[in-house]
Amino acid sequence: MERHLQEQTAAESADSGGTGRAGGLPHVAGAQEARSDDRMTLLLRLRAQTKQQLLEYKSMVDAYEEKTPEQIIQENQIEAKVEDLENEIEEVKIALEMKNLALARMQLSTALKKNLEKNDTMNSVLMDNMKHILKLNKLVMKSQQESWELEEKLLDVRKKRLQLKQASERKLLEIQTEKNKQKEDLDNVENSDKIKAMQKNLQKEIQITTVIQHVFQNLILGSKANWAEDSALKETVLQLEKNLTMI
Amino acid sequence: MSVLRPLDKLPGLNTATVLLVGSEDALLQQLADSMLKEDCASELRVHLAKALPLPSNVNRPRIDLIVFVINLHSKYSLQHVEESLHHVDASFFLGRVCFLGTGAGQEHHCILHRNTVLKLAHTYRSPLFFCDLEVEDFRATMAQRLVRMLLICAGHVRGVSALNLLSLLRTSETPPPEEL
């Protein structure tokens, strides 16, 4: 059920063997050097490997020394725990990276400092760069200040516009209230009692006049006088047609 | 031994061993050949197995990486792999196990859903690769990736450990629920 396959080391031995058989003294010497170089590389590689493997074994031993919880944990809790542990790993890695970055920054700054102390501070490219950076920063600050002022102006104009709008709104409201008041007054006046009394009087007078007219007409008709010949009598009789309420 | 444990033997000098577990012999053989063709400075050893547990009479070197090959065209490969997973020690899953799903390219032959394999890999917190082992180029690329993973798991790369690689390869999304 199981088989295994194998492959010999490809790079080193083949190469060194090939160059070794090239012939000639300088060739052989060169080949020997190449071989020892290769051996050195191999040894260094093996050293790195052994170190890494040692590190792995050490970490395994440390991990086993930690007490693992013996009680039976439920499924979903296991999931949560595993995720917590994975996140812990991530956090440790991130912390390591940040520390490396901080170290690199510190190293960079000390190297920079030493460089500046060593070189002639007036002529170095570094100083030119820094001066350029300062100039640009000043420009940036100035344009930021200008834009801030412009924004302030814009804000003021907008405020004024708002105030004007509010004032016009108020004025229109006033006009409307005035108009409403006028209409109310007119209605009041129309419905006031004085006018009602006056209207009643008017009606009464009209009725009295109508009655008097009727009396005159009947008088003239009753007197059997010929009213068609006399214009004044004619007028009085014919006034029956006019309805006094229409005057 | 009935359970595979990582780091239980001393490592061979400049040697890295990978164990390919899967039910399809031909695929494993092809993958093994591609891996051995890869150019790397360390000595590679490839062991093939249909299922765990491995017979204990054979003297074998320390296994650095286990690759479970699941063929999406057959149910049996998944069953075999699941049974074999019981014979692997828990500490192996800290970066020394990976799953390889093959045959995803031919949709109409696939019996297993992609999500099944995704969930399996998520349960075991191991990286999952999809590769069509039939195609020459894909196989070569996959072999290259596996060889690099193997070198890291065997400790041949300075500064990177198997656990480190595992957290680098971790995907943050949980697999979507299986569509019935």
Side-chain angles (χ1 to χ4, degrees), chain B residues 40-103:
Chain B
C40 86
S42 319
E43 198 182 302
L44 289 180
R45 299 178 64 127
V46 183
H47 287 237
L48 306 174
K50 244 182 158 48
L52 300 171
L54 301 173
S56 45
N57 47 2
V58 182
N59 185 16
R60 77 175 64 77
R62 168 186 98 146
I63 295 186
D64 297 311
L65 174 66
I66 304 182
V67 182
F68 288 102
V69 179
I70 303 175
N71 193 356
L72 291 182
H73 297 180
S74 83
K75 266 188 310 193
Y76 293 117
S77 63
L78 184 65
Q79 277 177 355
H80 276 161
V81 161
E82 276 178 349
E83 281 162 24
S84 317
L85 277 169
H86 297 313
H87 297 281
V88 179
D89 187 41
S91 41
F92 238 117
F93 291 102
L94 288 174
R96 286 170 216 273
V97 168
C98 88
F99 292 94
L100 178 59
T102 178

Side-chain angles (χ1 to χ4, degrees), chain A residues 34-242:
Chain A
R35 235 179 305 167
S36 58
D37 275 347
D38 288 334
R39 283 209 208 100
M40 278 297 287
T41 355
L42 177 62
L43 278 178
L44 286 173
R45 224 160 36 77
L46 289 178
R47 180 169 171 269
Q49 272 181 25
T50 336
K51 267 194 173 174
Q52 179 74 11
Q53 284 165 348
L54 177 64
L55 184 65
E56 281 182 6
Y57 276 108
K58 265 194 192 168
S59 60
M60 278 295 257
V61 168
D62 285 339
Y64 274 118
E65 275 173 10
E66 250 187 51
K67 282 197 85 76
T68 52
E70 290 297 334
Q71 77 270 28
I72 302 170
I73 318 174
Q74 283 184 349
E75 275 292 320
N76 42 7
Q77 285 181 2
I78 288 183
E79 273 284 325
K81 257 206 163 201
V82 167
E83 278 191 22
D84 284 339
L85 291 172
E86 281 178 345
N87 287 341
E88 260 188 58
I89 292 181
E90 286 293 317
E91 279 171 19
V92 168
K93 280 171 78 168
I94 290 174
L96 181 67
E97 282 299 318
M98 303 268 276
K99 286 181 188 143
N100 279 343
L101 274 177
L103 267 177
R105 257 202 299 268
M106 288 201 286
Q107 286 173 343
L108 178 66
S109 57
T110 47
L112 205 58
K113 212 165 57 162
K114 287 208 181 89
N115 193 12
L116 282 178
E117 287 166 8
K118 219 169 38 166
N119 289 349
D120 182 12
T121 50
M122 283 298 126
N123 297 341
S124 73
V125 179
L126 215 53
M127 288 306 293
D128 290 338
N129 273 346
M130 288 182 63
K131 282 185 192 140
H132 190 57
I133 289 176
L134 281 175
K135 228 177 2 186
L136 287 175
N137 278 347
K138 278 200 195 115
L139 274 177
V140 165
M141 283 198 334
K142 208 165 58 166
S143 21
Q144 270 185 346
Q145 180 75 15
E146 279 172 17
S147 70
W148 185 79
E149 279 167 13
L150 283 174
E151 271 186 27
E152 284 283 313
K153 276 195 201 152
L154 189 64
L155 208 60
D156 285 336
V157 166
R158 279 207 182 129
K159 266 198 225 164
K160 270 201 201 138
R161 192 147 43 118
L162 185 64
Q163 281 173 349
L164 280 174
K165 266 194 182 163
Q166 283 175 337
S168 72
E169 202 183 310
R170 269 192 303 240
K171 280 287 180 303
L172 284 173
L173 206 61
E174 274 177 30
I175 290 174
Q176 206 177 29
T177 38
E178 276 301 317
K179 265 200 180 152
N180 283 352
K181 244 180 24 184
Q182 268 184 9
K183 217 164 72 167
E184 254 180 52
D185 285 343
L186 202 58
D187 286 342
N188 282 352
V189 156
E190 278 181 0
N191 295 345
S192 78
D193 295 332
K194 256 199 215 170
I195 298 217
K196 280 208 177 87
M198 276 168 61
Q199 274 180 341
K200 249 169 86 181
N201 278 344
L202 188 61
Q203 287 294 340
K204 237 175 35 183
E205 293 294 322
I206 288 173
Q207 281 169 358
I208 292 176
T209 327
T210 320
V211 167
I212 294 178
Q213 261 192 351
H214 281 167
V215 163
F216 276 139
Q217 281 167 1
N218 286 337
L219 267 178
I220 295 174
L221 287 174
S223 67
K224 293 190 188 171
N226 197 359
W227 50 271
E229 290 178 353
D230 197 2
S231 58
L233 291 176
K234 205 166 142 184
E235 217 180 290
T236 322
V237 172
L238 288 178
Q239 250 186 354
L240 184 64
E241 305 298 321
K242 292 197 205 147

